[in-house]
Amino acid sequence: MASISPPPSFTPKIPQQIHDVFLSFRGEDTRYTFTSHLYAALTRLQIKTYIDNELERGDEISPSLLKAIDDAKLSVIIFSENYASSRWCLEELVKILECKKNNGQILVPIFYHVNPTNVRNRTGSYALALAEHEKRRDKNKVQTWRLALKEAANFSGWDCLGTRNESELVEQIAMDILQKLDTITSGGLERRINTYNQNAQQKLEKSLRTGNLADMLELITTLYQLAELKLEKATKSNDSSDWDDVLATYERIKQLKQDKWMRKFFSKKNKIKKKWMRKLNAQDLEELKAARNHVLHIQREQFNSKMGFRGI
């Protein structure tokens, strides 16, 4: 009996872990820039994200990629200059819209250095790409892609055409994705609070390391957002420690603002220091006082409601 030779050795492709988010993007446009930065930001927020690191091969989109879209709770479509030139990207788009219709998948379009009207109306580079597809492919298929582009571009998304700082924009988009996911998963508020806590800790460490005023302002902004989430939790809780936590966060913001004043103070010329310092102190203290009073008012109203009292 003839011996059977073993098949040639090969390295099996390890499937990616179960994910919440699928990224659809044109590799040659954004793989090593915007998309990689967004993927890193989502990873920092502990959001499991599917990113296809394979280069496009052949005409047909792989079944594993279609399944990855099907398994996602949210899909991000990064429309870039050459997105429509890729048959794979257009097929992904059609599948994503199908999942939105059938499974309620959340869709987040991002218009990266491309005008949303070019995508919606299929003009500019999108018109040229579709015209090229029509020369080589079935016109009904191309028409499906046209309609898909129009439909996806009508959803609310992110416009990256402006002069906004890209790193800040990526962080905002990542936080928006986190909040959208939390609306459809249990324990969403607690998860957001934990994420913002971790974010604040990272920004605190960066601020202490660099001594940069811009880093401190980012930290203060994050703490304000964290305080709002903690306030939301406190209004739903019977635990007084939750209210203490909210007030403690505002006290931390106050401390940081005082530190911010001192840093700015010593950067000013001597003759305008005192006047400028008094003005900024009064303004920021009023803001913090109003925020603290707002928290205490909500706490008091909640207590009165439970006791059967009505506020005047």
Side-chain angles (χ1 to χ4, degrees):
M1 181 176 179
S3 62
I4 301 174
S5 300
S9 62
F10 70 99
T11 303
K13 184 178 177 181
I14 301 173
Q16 296 197 28
Q17 293 180 334
I18 296 172
H19 53 277
D20 294 319
V21 174
F22 179 88
L23 298 179
S24 176
F25 62 97
R26 184 68 166 110
E28 67 181 47
D29 285 351
T30 66
R31 182 185 299 278
Y32 301 113
T33 53
F34 183 84
T35 298
S36 65
H37 299 155
L38 179 58
Y39 179 77
L42 293 171
T43 301
R44 283 195 297 274
L45 293 176
Q46 299 178 3
I47 299 173
K48 294 177 181 177
T49 306
Y50 186 100
I51 182 169
D52 181 27
N53 290 314
E54 296 293 320
L55 297 177
E56 295 181 18
R57 294 185 178 89
D59 280 347
E60 296 300 323
I61 186 170
S62 67
S64 61
L65 209 53
L66 292 174
K67 186 178 187 307
I69 297 171
D70 223 3
D71 291 343
K73 296 182 179 73
L74 182 151
S75 282
V76 178
I77 304 167
I78 303 170
F79 290 116
S80 55
E81 187 72 16
N82 297 299
Y83 184 91
S85 67
S86 165
R87 174 190 171 98
W88 276 39
C89 287
L90 294 169
E91 291 287 17
E92 286 175 6
L93 177 61
V94 171
K95 177 65 176 177
I96 289 167
L97 289 170
E98 177 189 311
C99 289
K100 177 170 181 58
K101 180 180 178 181
N102 297 335
N103 309 334
Q105 187 177 106
I106 300 171
L107 189 156
V108 178
I110 298 173
F111 303 94
Y112 184 74
H113 293 179
V114 64
N115 196 312
T117 58
N118 284 352
V119 182
R120 187 177 301 113
N121 300 328
R122 287 86 69 205
T123 55
S125 64
Y126 281 69
L128 294 174
L130 291 168
E132 284 299 313
H133 285 308
E134 281 189 330
K135 293 177 182 178
R136 302 190 301 273
R137 312 195 189 283
D138 178 67
K139 289 189 176 182
N140 290 332
K141 171 66 77 175
V142 177
Q143 181 61 16
T144 300
W145 294 341
R146 288 181 189 277
L147 295 174
L149 288 166
K150 181 179 181 179
E151 183 180 350
N154 279 324
F155 288 104
S156 176
W158 292 84
D159 184 351
C160 305
L161 261 179
T163 56
R164 299 164 69 184
N165 183 297
E166 187 168 298
S167 63
E168 291 179 6
L169 182 61
V170 164
E171 293 296 331
Q172 290 173 12
I173 293 172
M175 292 306 301
D176 177 57
I177 290 170
L178 175 64
Q179 291 175 15
K180 284 180 166 60
L181 287 171
D182 284 345
T183 62
I184 58 173
T185 56
S186 59
L189 179 59
E190 200 65 46
R191 176 183 174 185
R192 263 187 290 163
I193 289 173
N194 291 336
T195 300
Y196 271 91
N197 265 323
Q198 292 171 13
N199 235 3
Q201 184 61 36
Q202 290 170 0
K203 289 181 179 179
L204 172 62
E205 291 170 1
K206 182 180 179 183
S207 177
L208 292 172
R209 187 172 63 252
T210 65
N212 191 305
L213 185 61
D215 292 332
M216 177 175 282
L217 292 174
E218 276 190 31
L219 171 59
I220 291 171
T221 299
T222 300
L223 284 174
Y224 267 123
Q225 295 166 334
L226 177 59
E228 290 174 7
L229 291 172
K230 288 182 176 180
L231 178 57
E232 183 182 345
K233 178 185 177 182
T235 57
K236 299 174 181 177
S237 167
N238 293 319
D239 191 342
S240 62
S241 65
D242 288 334
W243 290 100
D244 294 339
D245 199 14
V246 176
L247 295 173
T249 304
Y250 278 112
E251 286 300 317
R252 185 66 181 119
I253 293 170
K254 180 181 176 181
Q255 293 169 5
L256 287 168
K257 278 182 173 279
Q258 288 171 339
D259 191 9
K260 181 194 75 172
W261 298 332
M262 295 308 296
R263 291 193 194 187
K264 282 195 171 184
F265 178 67
F266 287 112
S267 70
K268 297 285 178 183
K269 293 182 178 178
N270 286 331
K271 57 185 175 182
I272 63 170
K273 278 183 180 179
K274 290 182 180 178
K275 181 180 177 183
W276 180 87
M277 189 74 165
R278 284 196 301 271
K279 181 180 177 183
L280 184 59
N281 276 350
Q283 179 184 341
D284 277 357
L285 281 173
E286 282 301 315
E287 288 179 5
L288 284 166
K289 184 179 177 182
R292 183 184 178 89
N293 287 340
H294 176 63
V295 173
L296 292 173
H297 174 73
I298 293 175
Q299 185 180 18
R300 187 166 54 250
E301 285 294 309
Q302 188 178 48
F303 174 77
N304 288 343
S305 176
K306 288 178 180 177
M307 297 297 294
F309 301 134
R310 286 182 176 271
I312 297 175

